[in-house]
Each structure stands twice: as structure tokens, then as C-alpha cells.
Amino acid sequence: MKVEATNPAVEFHDLTVSYDKKPVLWNIDMTLPQGALIGIVGPNGAGKSTLIKAAMGLLPLGSGYVRLFNQSLDEVRHRVSYVPQRESVDWDFPTSVLDVVLMGRYGKLGLFRRPSNTDKEIAMNCLKKVGMEAFTKRQISQLSGGQQQRVFLARALAQEADIYFMDEPFAGVDAATESALLGILQGLAKEGKTVVVVHHDLQSAAEFFDWIVLLNLRLVACGPIKDVFTNKLLQDTYGGKLTVLAEVGELVKNREIPSREKY
């Protein structure tokens, strides 16, 4: 099942990506709407991270192409933010929490300009949003995994982008923190931003996301959560391997997921 977004922020056209000549994504063709919190879910090895890396131009494409706001990435790069998986970051780099978040302002500064007081205020405000304002001078390497994730989310917020791609941004955080941070991302969507999140927790996905991409090397389904997040499509995605599926199916069935007709 595939629902086309009427006002797409992201378009994937016949996208295929391979590692060492082995395809890990096959013929992905879909559109993602503007102003939505979008979850990409599927089993391990399904190509979820590959999909957003392809959108960010970090991987060579075997075929097809990606458009952002109907333009190439190079034309709109200043409007795009990317939060990589925590494991891919060198956390031993000697820099403070505030400096990490200020890196999110560099795209607005231009060459050779130093961050202004306004930039620092924006960075501090973003740290407050994620509950890390008390750690501004702390070295990033001295933080816990969950705290590092929060700081990286603050850096993304400081970019004031229009599209956010986030690869497992809640890995290593507790359920309460995940819920609070997902609430921040919901707020971005309400402001008209598009937030695309690789996510593994099906139960919180049922509660927070507007739009869902079900992926397992190929596109299984894509559309508003009320249409796509069904027990049958989840079974098709995971092959019935998750014991939580029946529980999530009941959650979806019993919860009146609101219709969001704007997409």
C-alpha cells in the first residue's frame, strides 16, 4: 500500500542502493509530506539507515534519484539537517556541549563569521528544549550516551532546517526521555517542518508519528498512520517474527488514531 503525499517534501524515485554489489534497497518509489513527523520502521537490516543516507547524498545510488522540495540536495542543502547514528560519531573529539550545538549554526553564518550573541541564545534555547542547559561547558566525551543524543538533537534544532533526517535518535535514552524528545519533534511538525526518523519502538511509533514508512529492503507500505500501521502490514514487514506485533495491533485497533487529511 502506498499513499502519495499531495505536497511532498521528499520524493524517492525508483531508488536502488547496493553494498558490494548486493542490493540493500530495491526500487523505492514514494513521497513524504511536508509538515509531518514521519517514522521509518522495519526489521534489522531492512535498509532504514541506508534510505536516509541516500537522501543525504552519503551513499552512491545504483539507480533512481531523490528530490527535496522538488530540487536536488545541493540546491537545498542549507534547509536540511541530519542526525547520524550515535555509533558513527567520534565522541572523543575535544569540544564542549555548547560548541557542538553552535556547529548547527555554521550553515547560517557563512565563511569566517563567528557565532553572534543571537546564535548563542538560539543554541542555549535548543539545549533547554532537550534538558541539557546545565551541561554547556561539559566535554561531549564526558556525557552518557543518552545525554550525547540529546546534545546532537539540540544541534539539529539549532540549524533551523526545514527537513530533519534522524537515524535512531533515541538509541540509549530511557522511555520518559524518548517521549519528551518525540514531543519536541511533534512541535517541529506543527510548525511546518518535515521530520523523518528511523525508529525501532513500534509502540511509541503508534502514539507519536503522523506518517509511517514500512520498509524491508523493498517498500511494504507508506502513508498516514491510520492507513498503514495495521497488523497485517506490520506482519508483512516483519514476517511475523516480532512477538510484540499482536500487542501493537491491539494498540492500534483500540486507539482512535486521528485522521490527518492535510497530507
Side-chain angles (χ1 to χ4, degrees):
M1 176 187 179
K2 183 174 67 172
V3 177
E4 295 293 337
T6 56
N7 188 24
V10 189
E11 302 170 62
F12 295 90
H13 294 282
D14 300 321
L15 183 77
T16 297
V17 181
S18 302
Y19 289 139
D20 297 325
K21 299 183 179 179
K22 179 183 176 183
V24 291
L25 283 178
W26 279 92
N27 296 331
I28 305 298
D29 198 281
M30 65 178 176
T31 57
L32 303 179
Q34 293 187 36
L37 179 54
I38 301 160
I40 302 174
V41 298
N44 290 336
K48 303 183 297 294
S49 297
T50 299
L51 184 70
I52 62 172
K53 285 178 180 177
M56 287 298 303
L58 300 174
L59 294 172
L61 308 184
S63 66
Y65 59 94
V66 183
R67 303 284 284 176
L68 307 176
F69 299 117
N70 200 32
Q71 296 177 284
S72 69
L73 174 64
D74 287 340
E75 292 174 292
V76 295
R77 192 177 293 274
H78 61 287
R79 300 174 64 187
V80 183
S81 176
Y82 172 57
V83 178
Q85 284 189 2
R86 189 178 161 272
E87 290 77 11
S88 67
V89 177
D90 178 9
W91 295 106
D92 292 327
F93 189 76
T95 188
S96 71
V97 165
L98 181 59
D99 285 340
V100 169
V101 180
L102 280 171
M103 289 176 190
R105 301 299 301 163
Y106 288 175
K108 309 279 185 186
L109 293 177
L111 214 54
F112 306 123
R113 270 192 55 204
R114 295 181 62 81
S116 66
N117 288 335
T118 299
D119 293 313
K120 291 175 183 176
E121 286 173 16
I122 290 170
M124 283 302 301
N125 187 46
C126 293
L127 281 168
K128 286 177 184 175
K129 285 182 179 178
V130 301
M132 290 295 292
E133 69 272 24
F135 295 83
T136 53
K137 296 181 180 179
R138 190 77 59 89
Q139 290 287 303
I140 193 75
S141 60
Q142 296 173 344
L143 302 181
S144 69
Q147 289 171 331
Q148 289 171 342
Q149 287 292 76
R150 291 198 209 186
V151 172
F152 252 45
L153 179 55
R155 186 184 74 163
L157 296 177
Q159 285 183 254
E160 297 181 327
D162 293 312
I163 300 178
Y164 295 84
F165 290 104
M166 301 188 175
D167 196 351
E168 297 269 13
F170 309 118
V173 305
D174 57 56
T177 300
E178 178 182 295
S179 180
L181 297 181
L182 276 164
I184 293 171
L185 301 188
Q186 281 183 318
L188 288 174
K190 287 176 182 174
E191 294 171 9
K193 312 291 189 181
T194 300
V195 187
V196 184
V197 180
V198 172
H199 197 57
H200 67 278
D201 183 351
L202 292 177
Q203 295 193 32
S204 62
E207 184 175 354
F208 285 96
F209 290 116
D210 303 317
W211 190 279
I212 290 286
V213 175
L214 297 179
L215 195 67
N216 193 347
L217 305 183
R218 292 177 170 86
L219 181 66
V220 177
C222 173
I225 191 165
K226 66 182 177 64
D227 298 326
V228 167
F229 214 68
T230 67
N231 201 43
K232 180 187 182 305
L233 288 173
L234 287 168
Q235 293 285 353
D236 290 345
T237 306
Y238 287 90
K241 293 177 182 176
L242 279 188
T243 55
V244 77
L245 284 179
E247 186 179 339
V248 172
E250 283 300 308
L251 181 72
V252 173
K253 187 170 70 174
N254 295 332
R255 184 194 302 276
E256 287 196 9
I257 297 175
S259 171
R260 296 171 172 86
E261 300 300 337
K262 65 181 180 177
Y263 310 121

